[in-house]
Amino acid sequence: MSKQLAFYVDSQKCIGCFSCAMACKNMYHPEPGVKWRQVYPLSEDIYPHHERAFYSLACNHCEHPTCLECCPVGAYTKREDGIVVHDQDKCIGCGNCVRSCPYGAPQYNPKLKKAEKCSMCWERIDAKLEPACVQACPVKALRIIDLSEFDDAEALHYPPGFPRFESLNPSVRFKLPRHPHVVRRNG
Ligand code: SF4
Ligand code: SF4
């Protein structure tokens, strides 16, 4: 497998503080309502202690990105390191990518009348810096991995609640939240 950078989401560590999402917004100033990264509390069906379990999600920089395939003007490219980049100068705002991505990653910016999405902060990566979300996380629940050399048998590709689209092969891995010890007082 050639190089493929990916987000690793450690839900065992995540405390749902939204620092990652806020750092992303501060970095790129998207319009109100336009969110490149979101933090989702897990429902009780997935994890009984729902106040303590979150997935922090953004674009998955898929191996086979449907956003790239459906764009009529070639605004999407996939870099050699696997990052899927959207070029706003080329974008005509047709919304094909917004409608086609099953992960809801591309967002329509009504002010610019163009689409936009997480860039994995490729400019920062090229400068040997972490993406803003990764840097902002106070508990190191987000990190960047290279799937071509990542080897963790416990990492999940499609954890409960995360949609399975194998044809896209989303570049993301997860660690599930741990069930807390239940301490009971007798008598
Ligand atoms: S998650 Fe959506 S926007 Fe991101 S690369 Fe995959 S298809 Fe494209
Ligand atoms: S900054 Fe870290 S701990 Fe806070 S919500 Fe994001 S991933 Fe979770």
Side-chain angles (χ1 to χ4, degrees), residues 59 61 65-79 83-88 90-101 104-108 114-119:
C59 170
H61 301 271
T66 181
C67 53
L68 183 151
E69 283 161 18
C70 76
C71 177
V73 294
Y76 283 90
T77 49
K78 188 162 175 70
R79 301 188 351 152
I83 299 176
V84 176
V85 176
H86 173 254
D87 182 344
Q88 226 168 33
K90 288 187 180 168
C91 179
I92 55 171
C94 69
N96 274 3
C97 58
V98 177
R99 288 186 292 274
S100 77
C101 172
Q107 307 263 301
Y108 184 71
K114 294 183 182 226
E116 52 185 55
K117 72 162 195 76
C118 159
S119 63

Side-chain angles (χ1 to χ4, degrees), residues 13-21 39 56 133 136-142:
K13 290 183 177 171
C14 179
I15 54 174
C17 67
F18 284 76
S19 298
C20 49
V39 180
S56 171
C133 55
C137 177
V139 293
K140 305 271 177 248
L142 282 178

Side-chain angles (χ1 to χ4, degrees), residues 143-165:
R143 62 188 168 97
I144 296 292
I145 53 174
D146 178 357
L147 291 177
S148 67
E149 53 192 38
F150 182 69
D151 183 22
D152 178 349
E154 290 182 16
L156 296 174
H157 197 177
Y158 299 105
F162 181 71
R164 178 183 285 263
F165 290 98

